[in-house]
Amino acid sequence: MAYDKFNILQTSAYPLSIENVDTDQIIPARFLKATERKGFGDNLFRDWRYNSDDSPKVDFPLNNPKYSGKILVGGRNFGSGSSREHAAWAVYDFGFRCVISSFFADIFRGNCLNVGVLPVQISENFLQEIFGAIEANPDTEIKVDLQNQTVTLLSSGNSESFEINSYKKENMLNGFDDIDYLQNIKGEIQEFVKTRPF
Amino acid sequence: MSNTLFDKVWDAHVVRKIEGGPDVFFIDRHLIHEVTSPVAFLGLKTRGIKVMEPKRTFATADHNTPTINQHLPVEDPLSANQLKALEENSKEHGILHWGLGHENNGIVHVVGPENGITLPGATIVCGDSHTSTHGAFGAIAFGIGTSEVEMVLSTQCIMQPKPKKMRINIVGKLNRAVTPKDVALYIISQLSTSGATGYFVEYAGDVFEEMSMEGRMTVCNLSIEMGARGGMIAPDEKTFDYIKGRKFTPKGADWDTAMEYWKTLKTDADATFDKEYTFNASDIEPMITYGTNPGMGMGISNQIPQSDAVKDGKATYEKSLSYMGYEQGESMIGKTIDFVFVGSCTNGRIEDFRSFASIVKGRKKADNVTAWLVPGSHKVEAQIKEEGILDILTDAGFALREPGCSACLAMNDDKVPAGKYAVSTSNRNFEGRQGPGSRTLLASPLVAAAAAVTGKVTDPRELMA
């Protein structure tokens, strides 16, 4: 499904300074029973966000009114575990368009790119600087510039570049998705199928 | 030019290379289940496109299914709706579907190999990260997201950058009571849960050559838990013996042609890897996890590491131990447990039940333990009965449930209650993985059996003749 174009995102951010955040935390399996892609944001980080009686855990960053924005900043090895795209859907549905971390699990990173969430990998030092800046001032803004592949912490002016392959970058900038591309080369694929032995 | 096994299979499936981007990568076999496919079918509908190669896709219900009374209607309306969607989507698009109760039904990564869907040199994907299991046959197999499921349904391709290559060698002979699960948990404990991220792994050396196909599947299954997209083992006579004569395995002249190709599927002697590790088999003992990711594992006779000694952040480590209710420096031996789960795509095959039965035979289930024994498929279930394993289990006070993913991810009713401890042969010990608040200790079927009959964490070697 094609999604919104992504060019420059400049907002405040939610900090989640925990390492190895796995997709079972991002969206627990019991919330994967839908047959449509909607409403997953309600259960984003369900068991970290809510007590067993469904009351919000006040100390969890997503419940803290001082935080806001369309950027989620997470600890190292973000998104490990299951291939459930529901995790990326939940991140998107909650309102995030970008996740910043110092390391991403492969499948989660790919899923994000396929649903319109930009995964931005930066150095551990810069990540810690960003966590510190948000802690000092929750309104601190971060600017993510996809065209120039840079992320800037506005309070200090410090900036780092990030990697993204040029194909995916074009897709994100234009709101295209892979199926559009694959549909356009279907003839070539059909020729390839004939060469497969099984 | 010399190539690795991975290069040979990968390069044979590249339809088109995109400069500075991913490869357009052809998929031979696509497995689908009820949880990660409905939105993909919805996408096809919205775009008005059909499944391009329905014969290359196979559907089985597993993730969200009850493990008792499968002959009755599924009670949970949301689960029932997903199962119905899988059945209807399969029917509409001409996809083979093995629903609840079908003789070929079971966990997607168990029924694929059982039915000869999994073949050497093939590319196999599924909307499930443990698709890496099929690499045991010399296939390139990995988990994908739902957008990619839609890509495969519509064009039989995905867009995938080629991963880097890693080889993990284990040399020597395994110690007594050390199973393939222990080998995998040992590797993950050494590499961490992100140590192989960005890589595709080839497992090589004496230990994997000696290992059964079931064992190889367990090891490849857990590749994702060290961050690798997948893992694979070069096919050999064991592989060919396993697949020969199965439902979808090539027959007659096709078999001969395939065999000629399959025999070329090995890493050339002078091929190189981006990263290589070598471990000694003799260093591995029965493993158990004590934390909330599969990298937090240790030999069962060791003590839980001090937070100063761990690579991951100290705060995250301490949070994890606090969730588990364990202290640094403690031994796991003797810790009381409440549940035992034997099953999943990791350890739900016949060898796992043989292994479990070898210890519980002549003993009794501990009173404080609730045990869920869930075969990976109806074929495994049938074999458990044929081999007399069911009698051993029943005599020891255990019952066998019906096939499915069950308590591995606890989408169905098989949920471990908050605060309770489960020794589990599955693949993930994440917080709440087996039910909100549940605490999971990952281990082999032997360690699970020792816990099931003693009611606490017990070294299985103490119970073995």
Side-chain angles (χ1 to χ4, degrees):
Chain A
M1 197 68 56
Y3 41 75
D4 317 337
K5 295 177 185 182
F6 191 113
N7 192 357
I8 290 173
L9 182 66
Q10 182 179 326
T11 76
S12 50
Y14 286 84
L16 193 59
S17 65
I18 299 170
E19 301 187 342
N20 302 320
V21 171
D22 59 75
T23 51
D24 276 81
Q25 308 317 315
I26 298 174
I27 183 101
R30 63 186 189 280
F31 300 112
L32 308 185
K33 296 187 180 187
T35 51
E36 289 175 280
R37 183 191 156 177
K38 60 182 184 193
F40 288 102
D42 295 343
N43 295 313
L44 175 67
F45 294 113
R46 180 78 202 190
D47 294 334
W48 284 353
R49 230 168 113 195
Y50 297 99
N51 295 304
S52 52
D53 63 0
D54 292 339
S55 60
K57 295 183 178 178
V58 288
D59 55 347
F60 188 67
L62 265 60
N63 292 330
N64 193 330
K66 71 179 179 182
Y67 299 119
S68 61
K70 294 185 172 182
I71 298 172
L72 176 64
V73 187
R76 194 179 182 285
N77 195 26
F78 194 90
S80 56
S82 150
S83 65
R84 60 188 70 164
E85 195 167 296
H86 311 67
W89 297 341
V91 167
Y92 183 95
D93 193 48
F94 185 86
F96 293 117
R97 292 295 174 271
C98 173
V99 182
I100 296 176
S101 179
S102 56
F103 197 82
F104 287 94
D106 267 344
I107 304 182
F108 179 77
R109 180 207 296 266
N111 285 343
C112 280
L113 287 166
N114 283 336
V115 307
V117 174
L118 181 66
V120 171
Q121 186 163 317
I122 58 175
S123 70
E124 185 65 34
N125 280 344
F126 195 35
L127 181 74
Q128 293 308 326
E129 186 189 338
I130 290 176
F131 279 136
I134 299 172
E135 195 181 324
N137 175 12
D139 296 326
T140 298
E141 289 200 339
I142 298 167
K143 180 177 173 185
V144 178
D145 181 340
L146 176 58
Q147 184 67 55
N148 293 305
Q149 295 178 225
T150 55
V151 51
T152 308
L153 179 61
L154 294 182
S155 58
S156 67
N158 286 345
S159 182
E160 254 189 28
S161 60
F162 63 89
E163 294 286 322
I164 180 170
N165 74 56
S166 54
Y167 164 82
K168 274 292 177 194
K169 179 174 165 180
E170 283 306 308
N171 271 7
M172 292 281 296
L173 287 169
N174 295 299
F176 297 156
D177 70 11
D178 288 348
I179 295 180
D180 300 331
Y181 183 94
L182 289 168
Q183 284 293 326
N184 282 334
I185 62 161
K186 209 159 175 179
E188 191 178 334
I189 297 168
Q190 274 158 341
E191 285 306 306
F192 188 88
V193 176
K194 294 177 189 162
T195 68
R196 292 304 304 154
F198 49 75
Chain B
M1 198 183 114
S2 44
N3 273 322
T4 67
L5 164 64
F6 174 73
D7 290 321
K8 291 178 187 181
V9 181
W10 183 279
D11 296 348
H13 289 85
V14 175
V15 177
R16 175 193 275 203
K17 280 190 168 305
I18 300 173
E19 200 60 42
D23 291 343
V24 176
F25 191 64
F26 186 79
I27 303 303
D28 292 313
R29 298 278 190 271
H30 182 206
L31 305 166
I32 60 173
H33 60 85
E34 72 276 23
V35 175
T36 56
S37 68
V39 173
F41 282 107
L42 213 55
L44 292 187
K45 198 170 182 179
T46 309
R47 294 174 199 257
I49 42 185
K50 284 288 197 189
V51 175
M52 179 175 148
E53 294 269 309
K55 296 269 175 292
R56 293 179 182 273
T57 295
F58 303 81
T60 184
D62 59 0
H63 274 63
N64 195 3
T65 55
T67 55
I68 48 167
N69 295 325
Q70 288 188 352
H71 60 288
L72 299 177
V74 174
E75 279 180 28
D76 174 12
L78 291 174
S79 304
N81 191 39
Q82 271 194 336
L83 294 168
K84 193 167 135 244
L86 183 70
E87 186 176 359
E88 286 177 354
N89 288 327
S90 299
K91 196 172 168 193
E92 182 185 340
H93 292 277
I95 292 165
L96 189 66
H97 169 254
W98 295 332
L100 272 190
H102 191 285
E103 61 175 353
N104 292 332
N105 174 261
I107 303 174
V108 61
H109 311 309
V110 176
V111 303
E114 273 178 353
N115 289 284
I117 295 167
T118 307
L119 296 172
T123 49
I124 303 170
V125 293
C126 173
D128 185 280
S129 60
H130 294 107
T131 307
S132 56
T133 311
H134 308 267
F137 294 80
I140 288 182
F142 54 87
I144 57 175
T146 296
S147 295
E148 291 166 309
V149 172
E150 189 181 337
M151 292 175 212
V152 180
L153 290 172
S154 59
T155 64
Q156 208 56 38
C157 288
I158 55 172
M159 313 285 284
Q160 195 68 35
K162 189 175 179 181
K164 289 182 283 187
K165 293 165 286 184
M166 177 186 287
R167 182 159 60 187
I168 297 176
N169 309 283
I170 302 195
V171 295
K173 218 172 151 42
L174 291 175
N175 294 316
R176 192 168 71 106
V178 175
T179 70
K181 179 64 163 290
D182 302 301
V183 172
L185 286 176
Y186 176 81
I187 298 170
I188 302 163
S189 75
Q190 298 299 304
L191 267 65
S192 89
T193 54
S194 58
T197 303
Y199 292 87
F200 213 95
V201 175
E202 180 178 344
Y203 298 98
D206 313 332
V207 164
F208 302 111
E209 284 166 25
E210 291 294 312
M211 205 174 266
S212 68
M213 290 314 297
E214 282 84 354
R216 292 177 186 181
M217 283 189 252
T218 299
V219 170
C220 288
N221 172 280
L222 289 162
S223 303
I224 182 73
E225 307 310 334
M226 52 181 139
R229 202 62 190 271
M232 64 200 303
I233 294 173
D236 59 11
E237 287 306 318
K238 265 185 214 174
T239 319
F240 306 136
D241 287 348
Y242 181 100
I243 59 176
K244 193 163 192 178
R246 293 187 187 258
K247 190 174 171 71
F248 292 101
T249 304
K251 311 276 186 314
D254 290 343
W255 169 266
D256 297 337
T257 312
M259 275 294 279
E260 260 178 60
Y261 172 59
W262 291 340
K263 285 185 170 168
T264 68
L265 294 177
K266 55 186 84 171
T267 292
D268 298 329
D270 46 355
T272 55
F273 290 81
D274 299 295
K275 212 166 201 178
E276 189 148 12
Y277 292 95
T278 299
F279 300 107
N280 289 314
S282 58
D283 291 341
I284 310 174
E285 68 161 335
M287 298 284 293
I288 193 153
T289 65
Y290 52 84
T292 56
N293 72 56
M296 298 175 78
M298 63 180 187
I300 196 163
S301 65
N302 291 345
Q303 281 83 41
I304 297 172
Q306 302 289 339
S307 62
D308 295 336
V310 297
K311 274 186 248 162
D312 281 344
K314 196 174 167 176
T316 300
Y317 182 78
E318 287 171 357
K319 177 179 179 290
S320 172
L321 285 191
S322 158
Y323 178 87
M324 292 301 292
Y326 293 149
E327 305 281 341
Q328 302 171 32
E330 280 189 310
S331 168
M332 289 295 290
I333 297 284
K335 293 279 187 198
T336 305
I337 60 113
D338 310 289
F339 285 76
V340 167
F341 172 59
V342 180
S344 85
C345 57
T346 307
N347 281 127
R349 298 182 186 81
I350 187 63
E351 272 195 2
D352 304 311
F353 287 89
R354 284 181 197 142
S355 180
F356 184 83
S358 72
I359 284 192
V360 305
K361 186 175 185 176
R363 295 190 168 92
K364 290 286 179 200
K365 182 182 81 61
D367 289 338
N368 62 313
V369 169
T370 301
W372 292 326
L373 312 185
V374 185
S377 70
H378 279 301
K379 282 196 165 70
V380 172
E381 184 186 21
Q383 209 170 342
I384 288 171
K385 290 174 181 167
E386 277 165 31
E387 294 186 11
I389 295 171
L390 182 60
D391 298 329
I392 296 171
L393 299 175
T394 310
D395 289 347
F398 295 95
L400 194 64
R401 297 171 82 91
E402 292 172 286
C405 298
S406 180
C408 174
L409 82 168
M411 271 194 83
N412 66 359
D413 291 337
D414 306 343
K415 290 181 171 63
V416 175
K420 297 292 183 189
Y421 292 95
V423 174
S424 178
T425 68
S426 56
N427 40 57
R428 289 188 175 133
N429 50 350
F430 296 151
E431 280 184 34
R433 169 81 176 180
Q434 298 194 284
S438 61
R439 293 154 156 175
T440 301
L441 315 179
L442 298 177
S444 73
L446 286 177
V447 172
V453 296
T454 61
K456 56 193 182 185
V457 176
T458 301
D459 190 328
R461 291 169 291 198
E462 287 177 16
L463 304 181
M464 291 167 76

